[in-house]
Amino acid sequence: MTVERKKTITKDILNGALLDSFKKLNPWVMIKNPVMFVVEIGTVITLLLSIAPELFGSTNVGRGYNIAVFLILLFTLLFANFAEALAEGRGKAQADSLRKTKSDTKARLVQKDGTYKEVSSTSLRKGDIVRIEIGEIIPSDGEIIEGLASIDESAITGESAPVIKEAGGDFSSVTGGTRVASDYIVVKIMTDPGESFLDRMIALVEGAKRQKTPNEIALTTLLAVLTLIFLIVIMTMVPMAQYLNVKLEISTLIALLVCLIPTTIGGLLSAIGIAGMDRVTQFNVLAMSGKAVEAAGDIDTMILDKTGTITFGNRMASEFIPVSGTQAKEMTFVALQASVKDETPEGRSIVELANKLGESWQAANYIGSEVVEFSAETRMSGLDLEGGTKVRKGAVDAIRKYVEALGGKIPHDLETISNRIAKAGGTPLAVAMGDRIYGVIYLKDTVKPGLKERFAELRAMGIKTVMCTGDNPLTAATIALEAGVDEFIAEAKPEDKIAAIKKEQQEGKLVAMTGDGTNDAPALAQADVGLAMNSGTMAAKEAANMIDLDSDPTKLLSVISIGKQLLITRGALTTFSIANDIAKYFAIIPAMFILAMPQLQALNIMNLASPESAILSALIFNAIIIPLLIPIAMRGVKYRAMSADRLLSRNILIYGIGGVIVPFIGIKVIDMVLHGLNIV
């Protein structure tokens, strides 16, 4: 299913983010971000310097300079808060949309004596049994224990076509907020109020329960350490300046500290994480944690089921093979006649293949014909034409017995053809008209289009793909070659999937897999990233750390790309932020000491107008670069399928070297504007 990307930034979200930018100035909120908390302390000090400079012994610079530093620092804080608030606002808007789906509906609770009691959906508890009729809303997540119905899941997935759910098997799970479109079902409630998948998704996209991932914690620790190091450096500069008889103003020291600590990534770090989670939810994937999304970005091996994931799961006509003594055109025409009234996927595929081969049919020619439906007893289907001619297709042994009963001869190569098809993993269907067998239809499970290219992309990323199937090795090899997977496991049982996952993990690799059945639950739990289908069983969904609301097994490919994009975005902006410090160093350090040490003029390679202009220019650039990078933080750095080494080299080239060059240009332009306006 193709997910339509909706407009995510609205006027209401922007207005809300502007207001939240000021609310987040609360020190108890800012202290969670050590880098920006240091900036806030510096902002408060420069505010006091602007009001009463004599309190700090600051008399060498004008009040206007201190006010300018204060305002720039304030806007630096507001821009950083705005980035985080904008990401949170987008999540809240999506949560509001989901909350409209979640309503307090009435439920028909089944009592112990078999009677029904109408109750509110919010009063339902795990283990309760409810009956839902056609047109009614499913009150909470659960599993069907009786009945079969088509379920309209458009409110959750956006897909208009209803899906069939029934008791037992892998398609018994239903989601609260969806609607029964036909028949009725009896559902056992599997969650308590506030614990449904929809509730968890709302909490996730709002960011209310979003915990920092291990990578975020590690990066936050690194930024805090860098901030502490630069703070010590600034403190040691004071006695050095006194030794050189240089008077360093407190506001200048604060400006230097703010410019040298990684404020850019410090201001954008939280927004990157929230926006990354938001991109996952836009693809209708419910991630139980940010850790799962990041783990997807580090995946080394992906294990996929064959049926329904790599292949369509429906047998499709691939070839018409005539027996000896029969022309290919004759065989094609008889196969077409046997299938013109067959509405099964196999029957429609036979008609489609015959049309491609140049055969056609007119409905008017078959008005008086009688359809013979397939049955387990006869294992045949077909058409009784006007005039008494009977056309049949079915299992080879069934057609053989049928023809023999009519006194017909069995072609000597029939068994050879059918055995060849079976060994290749296909299904042979013999075709007969009257007492003569014309040939065999080769049915095979068709690989989904485009998968080979997507697996090639994964290979370029360094991700190995492994196909698991219950088919024999010959069939598995044929499908694996056609699909383009790296390896396959034939005649696989549930325990074989777990063994395959453990083997990869023992080699230090991260493993992802998809599944929808109860027998997939152990493997989903064992995998580092387990993507369960929303149409699957509750056991599978509880074991996985991601749930695809569209029930599209190939969605894991997109999730991996999103996870990698999240990691790359964070790494790219961190590289850019740290690289920025080089240019700021060349702007501020010479400006601070150039009067006492004229030799430092050699470091003033940007030829900035004055010390004050240099400091303010670097500080202004440090502030405005944050909002300029917000679109990248929200949208993510464009991900391209390539090896980790090439990806690292590319990002260093763009965001490392770019992070050095851009500030030189930006600071110089700002300096020229300030000098031209005679502001400093």
Side-chain angles (χ1 to χ4, degrees), residues 624-677:
I624 64 175
I625 197 63
I626 294 177
L628 292 178
L629 291 175
I630 287 178
I632 296 178
M634 299 288 283
R635 186 177 61 250
V637 174
K638 187 174 181 180
Y639 174 68
R640 291 178 172 83
M642 59 180 68
S643 66
D645 291 341
R646 286 186 60 199
L647 205 55
L648 178 62
S649 301
R650 180 177 180 275
N651 284 339
I652 289 177
L653 179 65
I654 295 175
Y655 295 96
I657 298 177
V660 174
I661 296 174
V662 170
F664 274 99
I665 298 172
I667 291 172
K668 179 60 179 177
V669 170
I670 295 171
D671 175 76
M672 292 171 62
V673 172
L674 294 179
H675 185 66
L677 297 175

Side-chain angles (χ1 to χ4, degrees), residues 108 131-136 146-151 163-165 179-186:
R108 196 178 290 104
R131 180 184 173 102
I132 305 131
E133 302 282 353
I134 181 172
E136 294 180 346
E146 180 185 328
L148 177 149
S150 59
I151 309 296
V163 293
I164 303 297
K165 299 289 184 75
R179 185 176 61 86
V180 175
S182 72
D183 304 290
Y184 81 94
I185 49 175
V186 177

Side-chain angles (χ1 to χ4, degrees), residues 32-35 209-226 265 269-270 272-273 289-291 294 566-567 570 574:
K32 297 177 183 177
N33 188 333
V35 176
K209 295 182 180 179
R210 195 187 82 87
Q211 297 179 340
K212 285 188 175 182
T213 64
N215 280 338
E216 272 187 286
I217 293 172
L219 185 54
T220 301
T221 303
L222 173 63
L223 297 181
V225 170
L226 287 175
I265 187 61
L269 182 59
S270 181
I272 293 169
S289 68
K291 183 178 179 181
E294 288 197 354
L566 173 60
L567 295 174
R570 188 180 294 146
T574 300

Side-chain angles (χ1 to χ4, degrees), residues 182-202:
S182 72
D183 304 290
Y184 81 94
I185 49 175
V186 177
V187 174
K188 182 178 181 180
I189 302 301
M190 302 299 289
T191 58
D192 289 326
E195 297 178 357
S196 70
F197 292 115
L198 197 56
D199 288 316
R200 278 188 272 178
M201 192 169 186
I202 290 170

Side-chain angles (χ1 to χ4, degrees), residues 138 142-153 157 162-176 178-187 533-538 541 548-551:
I138 297 173
E143 286 196 347
I144 301 173
I145 58 175
E146 180 185 328
L148 177 149
S150 59
I151 309 296
D152 178 5
E153 297 185 331
T157 67
V163 293
I164 303 297
K165 299 289 184 75
E166 61 183 327
D170 294 342
F171 298 97
S172 59
S173 175
V174 292
T175 305
T178 57
R179 185 176 61 86
V180 175
S182 72
D183 304 290
Y184 81 94
I185 49 175
V186 177
V187 174
M533 304 298 101
N534 190 44
S535 61
T537 63
M538 193 63 68
K541 290 192 280 190
D548 176 21
L549 297 178
D550 296 327
S551 299

Side-chain angles (χ1 to χ4, degrees), residues 314 338-351 361 363 371-374 381-383 393:
N314 294 324
S339 308
V340 290
K341 296 290 186 178
D342 187 350
E343 294 301 322
T344 64
E346 292 90 346
R348 288 196 295 269
S349 72
I350 292 170
V351 173
W361 65 285
V371 179
V372 178
E373 300 288 353
F374 176 86
S381 65
L383 210 59
K393 70 174 188 292

